[in-house]
Amino acid sequence: MRLVFASNNAHKLEEVRKIMPAGVEVLSLSEIGFHHEIEETGSTLEENSRIKAETVWDYINDGMSAAKPLNDGLMIDGVFADDTGLEIHALGGKPGVYSARWAGSPEANRAKALSELKEKEDRSAQFRTVITLIRRPHPTSPEGEEFVQVEGIVRGRIAEQEYGKGGFGYDPVFVPEGYEKTFGELPAEIKNEISHRARALQKLVTALDIKDER
């Protein structure tokens, strides 16, 4: 199965490729020649995830009855896109859908989260990822589309300061439930087992009944 992940984020792409079964080839947007900016105009993670998946799906099909083959002649079976938000309880669920652009940069976002919680006793938070996949249910038939949307959540708390250099985004300030270290400190192998994105991808694999050939 060949799927396009609607992202050029190298960190996300690496994480996704490690999690997906061996029988699934995951392509980035640049690998299919998609270089357009996708406007995330939705007010929820679900809406933004779907907007990204539909935009890339339309680009691949380009009004034709079958998806464009790449240079090797193989077809693209579908597209999946994710949208992720950090939801902090004491802040009423903020930054949520605006997590990536809350303060303008990953460093500024983390600093704002720490600042906003400086006088708060409740530091509980959760990461939530919504993945939307659009694909043809039967590769031999260009008619019809299958739409799947799944959610992955990991609960935890915001640390008092940044710890670790691993991961990306809010990882250095987020301590997942059951651990004493942030995602920025934990090995990638552990994060790929328990992260919000990993849990959403595991649900996606289950929904599509994809067999792991490793």
Side-chain angles (χ1 to χ4, degrees):
M1 181 179 292
R2 172 176 275 181
L3 301 175
V4 174
F5 178 42
S7 176
N8 277 323
N9 184 305
H11 295 289
K12 282 188 180 182
L13 192 63
E14 180 183 11
E15 186 177 331
V16 166
R17 283 174 170 163
K18 286 181 178 178
I19 293 170
M20 291 296 276
V24 180
E25 180 184 6
V26 178
L27 302 176
S28 68
L29 292 180
S30 61
E31 288 174 309
I32 64 167
F34 185 97
H35 303 291
H36 310 287
E37 193 71 33
I38 302 176
E39 292 188 28
E40 299 179 25
T41 56
S43 59
T44 65
L45 300 178
E46 288 80 4
E47 290 176 1
N48 278 342
S49 174
R50 181 163 188 158
I51 287 169
K52 288 186 277 190
E54 288 179 338
T55 300
V56 179
W57 181 246
D58 289 343
Y59 168 82
I60 291 171
N61 286 276
D62 195 27
M64 298 185 296
S65 61
K68 290 179 180 178
L70 296 184
N71 292 333
D72 57 13
L74 297 178
M75 296 291 187
I76 295 170
D77 298 300
V79 173
F80 67 101
D82 81 314
D83 201 33
T84 296
L86 173 66
E87 300 170 339
I88 301 174
H89 185 262
L91 304 183
K94 293 179 180 178
V97 72
Y98 304 107
S99 295
R101 52 190 186 277
W102 195 25
S105 71
E107 296 77 14
N109 289 340
R110 295 193 296 269
K112 183 168 184 175
L114 295 176
S115 175
E116 293 279 330
L117 289 177
K118 195 171 184 180
E119 305 299 328
K120 306 285 188 182
E121 290 187 13
D122 181 4
R123 305 184 72 88
S124 62
Q126 67 178 28
F127 269 123
R128 189 165 69 93
T129 289
V130 175
I131 292 178
T132 299
L133 179 136
I134 305 173
R135 71 163 185 167
R136 301 191 187 285
H138 304 290
T140 57
S141 173
E143 300 301 324
E145 299 169 356
E146 180 180 36
F147 175 87
V148 177
Q149 196 165 69
V150 294
E151 175 188 76
I153 293 175
V154 59
R155 294 180 174 84
R157 61 181 175 83
I158 303 300
E160 285 73 21
Q161 64 184 66
E162 293 190 28
Y163 295 99
K165 302 293 184 181
F168 57 97
Y170 294 91
D171 284 356
V173 299
F174 183 81
V175 180
E177 202 170 66
Y179 293 83
E180 295 301 320
K181 294 184 177 181
T182 68
F183 271 153
E185 298 174 287
L186 290 171
E189 294 75 17
I190 293 179
K191 183 186 175 186
N192 287 345
E193 289 180 2
I194 67 170
S195 77
H196 40 294
R197 188 171 293 104
R199 290 174 176 178
L201 283 168
Q202 287 158 5
K203 288 182 181 179
L204 183 64
V205 170
T206 299
L208 298 181
D209 194 28
I210 301 172
K211 305 300 183 184
D212 195 335
E213 298 177 1
R214 284 176 289 202

